Amino acid sequence: MSNENIITVGDLEFPPRKVWLKTYGCQMNYHDTERILSHLGSLNFTLAEEQHDADLVIFNTCAVRDLANQKFYSHLGEAKHLKERTDIDPQTGLKKNVIVAAGGCIAQTEGKELVAKYKQLDFAFGTDVIDNIGEMVYRAYAGEKKFTVTSWDRSDNYSIETKITQGTPQAFVNIIKGCDKFCSYCIVPFTRGREKSRRLDEIVKDVSRLVEYSGIQEVTLLGQNVNSFGKDHGESLAQLITELDKINGLELIRYTTSHPYDVSDELVDVHRTAKKLANHLHLPVQSGSNTVLQRMLREYTIEHYLGLLAKMRKANPNMIISSDIIAGFPNETEEEHQETLKLLELAQFDFIFSYSYSSRKGTKAARMDDVLTEDIRGRRLREIQAKQLGIQEKIRQEMVGKTYRVLVEEKGLNKGVTKWTGRTSCSRIVHFEPETPESNYQWHWVDVEIISVTALSTQGRLVKDYGKKL
Ligand code: SF4
């Protein structure tokens, strides 16, 4: 078997394997089974038509319907012979080792007893942990035997203290690690694991300490999907920002990265109420086409996304929005690409990070048969970038004559002229000339009036220097 067909996750290799799923009971269970199958695709499983062809057998049980209940026990009893197989697995060359699992309602309540009673059952998992099936299958293939998972163990809290090494007033503060999304092009959920949030109280103390003892004035809250922050503890990003907003001496709060599916109304509202929250939202859209978004497993539509932008801009009329775009996702049609160009017009992003699609081994997208060439991808990327530059030059013209508060970062030479450079609350980079060649503005807060702009650069005039503290 070619190595290209093998997915490596952690320390294990997953060759192509088959899963056979038996669903009992209601429509909800059938939806759950689809979710299970979707997650297992990331571990190289495809659906087996027959139980006999399967490497992994999963019974998705129902505790409500009696008949379904009886059928499950009967099928589980018959599964004993799966463990007695002596034939050779064509993928591994070893004796076929079929793994048997039970999920769903019965497993939620009686998982431990089932695993203890039925020798053929390798593990059981409840309805609460369906989205963690990948990790359980990984554990089973890593050799772990006879385990039950009915609630996701988040007891090993994600707890850290932010370390400052740079001596600047800016700090990056991790608030959540991992990701529970499974965007089809992204390997993060497999490399970083599942989402785990720090506790809100801990972060507030951490930031207070940074402000008081390390002179931090600007924090950027970090995570793969910060909008999911606190879900495991009944807390939220909006609550966290509201608490951080109260810290004396902290001047600016940023957060990144956001997933559009998880932007709540509560978060939109905090952009209206929190005084220190930056006038900037980076909200990756990735494509302007609903059909591409579906293939990317992004869980939102363009209509939903544009609705979010409208709500954000209503909550804070000074808000500027930036985004990420992937050009040439596998099998993207010319029409789908045109939809992305159209989205740029509709969304009016201030800037974008745009990339040509590149395959990540181990992802679902990497296994798609793709007809696009690198030439097509390159051309589409250039079209996206050219379109965006035209849009952002126009947007930025509106800055001329307005005054912005800037935290100055560094000095540089621009066409032989010394200029200082800083960032506005809305994340625009601004350059301005010093009053005298000796003037030093590093880490000063200044007001700058914008005098000229291009798509990529903003020039200003110093209006007021506040020094290192506002
Ligand atoms: S793209 Fe972002 S949200 Fe999607 S799986 Fe990767 S880290 Fe998670």
Side-chain angles (χ1 to χ4, degrees):
M1 185 182 15
S2 123
N3 275 352
E4 276 172 22
N5 294 329
I6 295 177
I7 292 178
T8 303
V9 181
D11 295 325
L12 294 187
E13 288 190 338
F14 285 84
R17 290 189 174 107
K18 296 272 184 194
V19 54
W20 187 80
L21 290 134
K22 177 71 186 166
T23 311
Y24 306 86
C26 67
Q27 199 56 38
M28 188 66 78
N29 266 18
Y30 284 86
H31 284 309
D32 287 348
T33 298
E34 281 172 15
R35 265 162 72 199
I36 291 169
L37 190 58
S38 161
H39 286 306
L40 290 180
S42 309
L43 292 179
N44 227 352
F45 283 89
T46 49
L47 193 61
E49 297 296 338
E50 304 284 342
Q51 194 193 58
H52 186 80
D53 294 331
D55 302 274
L56 171 64
V57 168
I58 298 179
F59 299 104
N60 191 9
T61 66
C62 169
V64 178
R65 301 190 182 167
D66 219 5
L67 188 60
N69 196 326
Q70 289 168 25
K71 273 193 190 163
F72 158 61
Y73 281 104
S74 155
H75 291 154
L76 181 59
E78 290 165 13
K80 205 162 63 173
H81 74 272
L82 295 172
K83 291 296 205 187
E84 295 159 0
R85 287 176 66 168
T86 54
D87 50 331
I88 300 300
D89 186 327
Q91 301 293 350
T92 62
L94 302 169
K95 181 173 131 347
K96 189 99 175 167
N97 169 26
V98 179
I99 289 186
V100 180
C105 321
I106 297 178
Q108 179 75 35
T109 51
E110 300 167 33
K112 273 199 178 128
E113 291 79 350
L114 285 175
V115 167
K117 184 168 172 192
Y118 292 91
K119 267 194 188 160
Q120 62 271 44
L121 197 57
D122 293 285
F123 69 94
F125 61 99
T127 43
D128 277 353
V129 293
I130 278 170
D131 293 306
N132 305 98
I133 185 68
E135 202 156 329
M136 290 177 260
V137 169
Y138 181 97
R139 283 166 62 180
Y141 277 96
E144 196 170 334
K145 298 200 180 348
K146 310 294 277 177
F147 59 92
T148 304
V149 185
T150 50
S151 64
W152 198 242
D153 181 11
R154 299 188 191 262
S155 57
D156 50 333
N157 271 335
Y158 174 34
S159 173
I160 49 166
E161 193 175 75
T162 306
K163 296 272 181 273
I164 299 294
T165 53
Q166 298 294 326
T168 75
Q170 298 168 319
F172 292 93
V173 175
N174 275 290
I175 63 168
I176 179 171
K177 64 177 178 179
C179 183
D180 284 0
K181 298 272 181 270
F182 281 88
C183 302
S184 60
Y185 52 86
C186 180
I187 196 72
V188 163
F190 303 106
T191 55
R192 300 275 176 96
R194 311 312 304 263
E195 285 172 0
K196 202 161 274 187
S197 299
R198 295 173 68 192
R199 301 304 295 246
L200 186 149
D201 280 358
E202 179 190 283
I203 300 167
V204 174
K205 278 188 200 140
D206 195 23
V207 174
S208 302
R209 179 187 55 81
L210 292 173
V211 171
E212 192 171 348
Y213 298 108
S214 305
I216 294 301
Q217 298 181 60
E218 175 186 322
V219 288
T220 303
L221 309 175
L222 285 183
Q224 301 294 336
N225 177 13
V226 284
N227 304 120
S228 263
F229 167 79
K231 278 186 182 163
D232 35 354
H233 307 305
E235 298 172 342
S236 71
L237 179 61
Q239 288 167 2
L240 175 62
I241 291 169
T242 303
E243 290 309 309
L244 295 177
D245 201 43
K246 297 174 189 163
I247 297 175
N248 280 335
L250 181 64
E251 303 295 348
L252 199 53
I253 303 164
R254 304 181 188 274
Y255 64 86
T256 194
T257 297
S258 284
H259 190 294
Y261 180 82
D262 292 317
V263 173
S264 64
D265 285 348
E266 189 194 14
L267 184 63
V268 173
D269 200 47
V270 105
H271 277 275
R272 186 178 58 77
T273 56
K275 292 183 180 55
K276 297 170 182 173
L277 189 52
N279 296 331
H280 173 220
L281 175 67
H282 185 71
L283 195 60
V285 64
Q286 309 298 6
S287 169
S289 156
N290 281 335
T291 40
V292 173
L293 289 177
Q294 269 174 13
R295 300 205 293 280
M296 288 177 167
L297 303 179
R298 288 291 286 177
E299 301 184 331
Y300 53 84
T301 61
I302 286 305
E303 293 72 26
H304 175 79
Y305 183 87
L306 289 171
L308 280 178
L309 300 199
K311 281 196 219 173
M312 283 288 183
R313 285 169 167 148
K314 192 170 172 207
N316 177 359
N318 294 321
M319 168 86 83
I320 72 121
I321 294 171
S322 56
S323 198
D324 294 341
I325 306 269
I326 297 173
F329 188 73
N331 303 316
E332 181 190 66
T333 63
E334 193 55 37
E335 202 182 352
E336 288 168 334
H337 166 60
Q338 291 299 327
E339 287 177 316
T340 297
L341 296 177
K342 188 171 150 212
L343 173 76
L344 296 179
E345 287 285 355
L346 294 172
Q348 295 287 298
F349 296 123
D350 195 75
F351 60 93
I352 60 168
F353 297 110
S354 50
Y355 315 87
S356 175
Y357 169 80
S358 75
S359 167
R360 294 274 174 282
K361 200 174 166 202
T363 60
K364 206 165 184 172
R367 297 195 298 284
M368 293 174 180
D369 287 330
D370 182 17
V371 297
L372 292 193
T373 63
E374 289 315 303
D375 281 354
I376 294 175
R377 288 202 168 89
R379 192 254 302 158
R380 289 183 184 170
L381 180 63
R382 288 191 295 279
E383 286 177 6
I384 287 168
Q385 291 173 337
K387 179 98 185 168
Q388 174 59 26
L389 281 180
I391 289 169
Q392 77 190 45
E393 180 152 10
K394 270 193 213 142
I395 294 176
R396 290 181 180 213
Q397 287 298 339
E398 291 165 16
M399 295 176 76
V400 176
K402 293 185 183 153
T403 298
Y404 290 81
R405 178 81 34 95
V406 170
L407 178 58
V408 185
E409 296 181 4
E410 60 189 3
K411 181 168 74 167
L413 270 183
N414 190 327
K415 293 181 187 157
V417 180
T418 300
K419 294 213 171 172
W420 286 84
T421 301
R423 222 162 32 129
T424 64
S425 159
C426 51
S427 290
R428 283 147 162 167
I429 304 292
V430 174
H431 309 278
F432 67 94
E433 285 183 37
E435 285 172 303
T436 69
E438 294 75 37
S439 301
N440 185 346
Y441 303 99
Q442 192 164 37
W443 305 120
H444 284 208
W445 293 92
V446 298
D447 284 344
V448 176
E449 184 194 340
I450 306 305
I451 50 177
S452 70
V453 294
T454 66
L456 296 172
S457 131
T458 306
Q459 307 295 325
R461 177 180 70 78
L462 182 68
V463 174
K464 184 166 181 174
D465 178 8
Y466 294 89
K468 291 194 172 181
K469 291 264 180 208
L470 274 174

